[in-house]
Amino acid sequence: MSEELFKKVVSHAKEYGFVFPSSEIYDGLGAVYDYGQNGAELKNNLRTYWWKSMVQMHDNIVGIDAAIFMHPQVWKASGHIDGFSDPMIDNKDSKKRYRADQLLEDKISRYEKDGKTNKAQDLQAALDKALTENDLPALKELIIAHEIACPISGTRNWTDVRQFNLMFSTEMGAMADGADKVYLRPETAQGIFVNFLNVQKTGRMKIPFGIAQTGKAFRNEIIARQFIMRMREFEQMEMQFFIRPGTQKVWYAHWKEARIKWHEKLGFGKEMYRFHDHVKLAHYADAAVDIEFAFPFGFKELEGIHSRTDFDLRNHQELSGKKMQYFDNDIDEATGKPFGNYIPYVIETSIGLDRLFLATLCASYKEEEIGEGDKKDTRVVLSLPPQLAPYKVAVFPLTKKDGLPEKAEQIMNDLKADYTCFYEEKDAIGKRYRRQDALGTPFCITVDHDTLQDQTVTIRYRDTMQQERIPANKISEIIAAQTSWKKLLQ
């Protein structure tokens, strides 16, 4: 049922203008997608929710927008040039390349579905051990031992496992011969780190404080799959929180709790989320945990919280020769003296906006049986939080004549400065309601002949399908009460 649900979500995303395959008229481009008119609105609303809660609601967090192109030495200092790679394996018959760890993770999932819990646990432990020790031969041995075949050729004719760097490179310069090699950023965090002192000094920021950023990142994923779950061009929402060394455990626990609460406020159910501690830590971290979401294809990473120590700022200081220190004049109770100069430690929260978008679609998609007897029917509805809905309100004239369209347009014009609105006069009113349910529109306003007489309209609520008659001048008040960001931010 879960796999069937995911297929329906993917189909729904295209049919209703949320997500399209990129360059589709040329048969598409692997693992690259375009957001349609409704997807762009939903994505923007999710980004707004993150930005408001992370920046607007915190006095000590500010936002920046760093460039995608950065000096190549940035990626040397961050460790990406030397160590940003995944374990890859090729099938000699199909000529297809796969991530070795993902082949094994899929096998673990199949064991779990078949009730082979012990096999799943043993393989997971062996996989964790191989990844922790960076033991590439051991990964191949596991693939062979568990008889994993290529999904395309069906054979087990594998190459050795080797590391594959994921960064896209290009050249910058007017002449190719004299061009400098640069990279499309694989993460947004480094733009924050290299601007640490710029922001701290100009914003007169005092430790602890954070810098947030949203933006595109690029990774040459060999196995990009599960729709927009893993793409080569994607958007991150990251916040780096700068703290005093020695306080990282406290702040790590703080942000771990704060971020899970942020997700739960969307109302999809606490059971949809879980923590997963990293077995193999990244080269920059002394602690790391993922917030995983119950996608139809299983629990997968949605957001990461990492204690990055002073790795990034210290490496940038060493490679650039520029000091990345902060002077802390607060008094250390142990010594009675100011803390003085130090390189701050960092707690990072990093969430993939595209994955959040997919999680939101999956959690919101519902098929409901309505009516009775011969009038029994099924409606598809996106039960999105009203704040996130692409359209907050749809306005319909009951018919295309008698001045109803003009009145409906007048009402919509009064609303659209404050809310995204949809106008439609085609088809029976029931079909129009169904289309708006499928888009997740929380309110529909119908203008009929009585509206011209008494200035009242029918408002229809998406989730309950209840309708009531209200004065036209009360529409904005009702919508505002349900779509206020306060409901999610407080």
Side-chain angles (χ1 to χ4, degrees):
M1 181 60 187
S2 292
E3 292 180 2
E4 187 64 26
L5 170 62
F6 187 56
K7 290 178 182 178
K8 289 180 179 180
V9 169
V10 174
S11 176
H12 190 87
K14 182 180 179 184
E15 183 180 357
Y16 286 92
F18 285 90
V19 182
F20 306 130
S22 181
S23 314
E24 188 177 17
I25 62 172
Y26 295 103
D27 297 325
L29 184 63
V32 183
Y33 290 89
D34 299 330
Y35 285 85
Q37 67 278 21
N38 298 314
E41 291 288 345
L42 174 56
K43 190 178 184 185
N44 187 53
N45 291 339
L46 286 166
R47 187 189 299 108
T48 298
Y49 173 42
W50 183 87
W51 191 268
K52 282 180 175 290
S53 63
M54 189 62 77
V55 178
Q56 190 169 323
M57 298 299 289
H58 288 92
D59 296 337
N60 62 340
I61 300 178
V62 295
I64 67 168
D65 183 9
I68 289 173
F69 290 119
M70 304 182 74
H71 194 286
Q73 289 291 79
V74 169
W75 307 114
K76 181 69 175 177
S78 69
H80 283 85
I81 288 178
D82 298 322
F84 189 58
S85 55
D86 279 338
M88 298 297 175
I89 191 169
D90 294 350
N91 182 268
K92 296 177 183 178
D93 298 318
S94 67
K95 312 299 182 186
K96 292 292 183 180
R97 181 170 291 168
Y98 301 91
R99 271 183 58 175
D101 57 330
Q102 288 182 352
L103 288 174
L104 291 163
E105 287 172 357
D106 289 345
K107 190 68 173 180
I108 292 168
S109 296
R110 285 197 292 274
Y111 281 151
E112 290 174 341
K113 285 182 180 179
D114 295 339
K116 300 176 180 177
T117 308
N118 290 337
K119 273 194 170 184
Q121 291 175 345
D122 290 345
L123 179 53
Q124 184 68 64
L127 172 60
D128 290 342
K129 183 175 185 294
L131 291 176
T132 301
E133 297 174 358
N134 198 28
D135 190 343
L136 301 184
L139 290 174
K140 183 178 180 180
E141 289 174 10
L142 289 173
I143 289 172
I144 294 171
H146 290 267
E147 300 180 338
I148 296 175
C150 170
I152 305 299
S153 69
T155 69
R156 301 169 191 158
N157 191 12
W158 298 108
T159 66
D160 291 335
V161 179
R162 60 203 180 282
Q163 295 288 5
F164 182 89
N165 195 284
L166 301 178
M167 282 200 296
F168 284 104
S169 64
T170 187
E171 294 177 338
M172 180 176 287
M175 300 294 291
D177 291 342
D180 290 324
K181 187 175 183 179
V182 294
Y183 300 92
L184 296 179
R185 65 183 181 193
E187 65 177 22
T188 59
Q190 298 306 319
I192 293 175
F193 293 128
V194 299
N195 280 296
F196 161 68
L197 284 180
N198 287 333
V199 174
Q200 188 272 316
K201 290 177 179 178
T202 59
R204 303 176 71 187
M205 308 299 292
K206 185 176 176 63
I207 294 273
F209 72 91
I211 302 176
Q213 179 175 211
T214 71
K216 289 289 184 77
F218 307 84
R219 295 179 185 177
N220 192 15
E221 298 280 2
I222 296 302
I223 304 302
R225 56 182 183 171
Q226 293 167 331
F227 194 34
I228 59 173
M229 182 70 186
R230 187 178 293 278
M231 299 191 294
R232 294 186 170 97
E233 175 185 340
F234 56 98
E235 190 164 353
Q236 290 183 306
M237 302 187 296
E238 295 192 320
M239 191 277 294
Q240 309 299 326
F241 197 70
F242 299 92
I243 58 174
R244 189 176 295 143
T247 64
Q248 64 265 36
K249 287 185 178 180
V250 173
W251 283 111
Y252 178 72
H254 167 84
W255 283 109
K256 181 178 173 181
E257 182 68 18
R259 295 310 300 152
I260 194 73
K261 286 182 178 179
W262 182 88
H263 288 282
E264 291 172 352
K265 282 184 179 180
L266 290 173
F268 299 142
K270 291 186 177 183
E271 71 280 1
M272 300 296 285
Y273 306 93
R274 73 181 187 188
F275 287 116
H276 175 72
D277 289 308
H278 285 213
V279 176
K280 180 184 178 182
L281 292 175
H283 57 275
Y284 52 75
D286 65 1
V289 66
D290 291 335
I291 295 175
E292 295 185 333
F293 180 81
F295 290 95
F297 41 83
F299 273 97
K300 299 292 180 182
E301 178 191 352
L302 187 59
E303 176 166 5
I305 297 99
H306 310 111
S307 176
R308 295 184 74 121
T309 67
D310 63 354
F311 174 87
D312 300 275
L313 292 180
R314 183 172 295 280
N315 275 16
H316 285 305
Q317 175 174 283
E318 291 177 1
L319 198 58
S320 70
K322 308 291 174 54
K323 286 190 175 181
M324 303 293 283
Q325 296 180 345
Y326 170 82
F327 181 77
D328 192 338
N329 57 13
D330 283 355
I331 302 300
D332 183 352
E333 293 182 0
T335 64
K337 298 178 181 179
F339 284 98
N341 280 308
Y342 57 78
I343 298 176
Y345 273 42
V346 175
I347 303 297
E348 172 187 71
T349 72
S350 177
I351 179 169
L353 178 52
D354 306 276
R355 290 190 178 190
L356 178 62
F357 182 102
L358 182 58
T360 302
L361 277 188
C362 291
S364 300
Y365 182 91
K366 292 180 175 60
E367 294 180 358
E368 299 177 349
E369 287 192 355
I370 57 175
E372 297 179 355
D374 295 340
K375 295 184 178 179
K376 201 170 186 179
D377 193 11
T378 300
R379 76 159 182 161
V380 173
V381 58
L382 288 184
S383 56
L384 296 165
Q387 297 86 346
L388 302 183
Y391 293 102
K392 301 299 183 283
V393 59
V395 182
F396 308 142
L398 187 61
T399 66
K400 299 180 183 179
K401 56 184 180 179
D402 301 331
L404 299 186
E406 289 79 6
K407 182 62 177 177
E409 289 179 359
Q410 177 191 330
I411 289 174
M412 194 179 82
N413 287 334
D414 289 341
L415 295 172
K416 66 184 182 183
D418 297 313
Y419 313 102
T420 47
C421 303
F422 189 97
Y423 177 87
E424 189 173 31
E425 54 187 40
K426 182 184 177 183
D427 293 329
I429 198 71
K431 286 187 176 181
R432 285 184 262 176
Y433 285 155
R434 290 291 176 273
R435 278 197 288 271
Q436 294 306 310
D437 288 343
L439 293 176
T441 307
F443 306 101
C444 291
I445 303 295
T446 300
V447 174
D448 56 24
H449 292 90
D450 288 341
T451 305
L452 303 180
Q453 302 301 319
D454 59 13
Q455 301 301 309
T456 63
V457 296
T458 297
I459 186 168
R460 187 250 195 191
Y461 301 93
R462 177 198 67 201
D463 296 331
T464 64
M465 294 186 291
Q466 295 297 311
Q467 301 180 31
E468 67 173 319
R469 202 75 186 176
I470 63 168
N473 61 10
K474 293 289 185 182
I475 298 173
S476 184
E477 180 181 325
I478 292 173
I479 297 174
Q482 296 299 315
T483 61
S484 170
W485 284 107
K486 286 184 179 181
K487 286 179 170 288
L488 289 179
L489 298 176
Q490 288 181 338

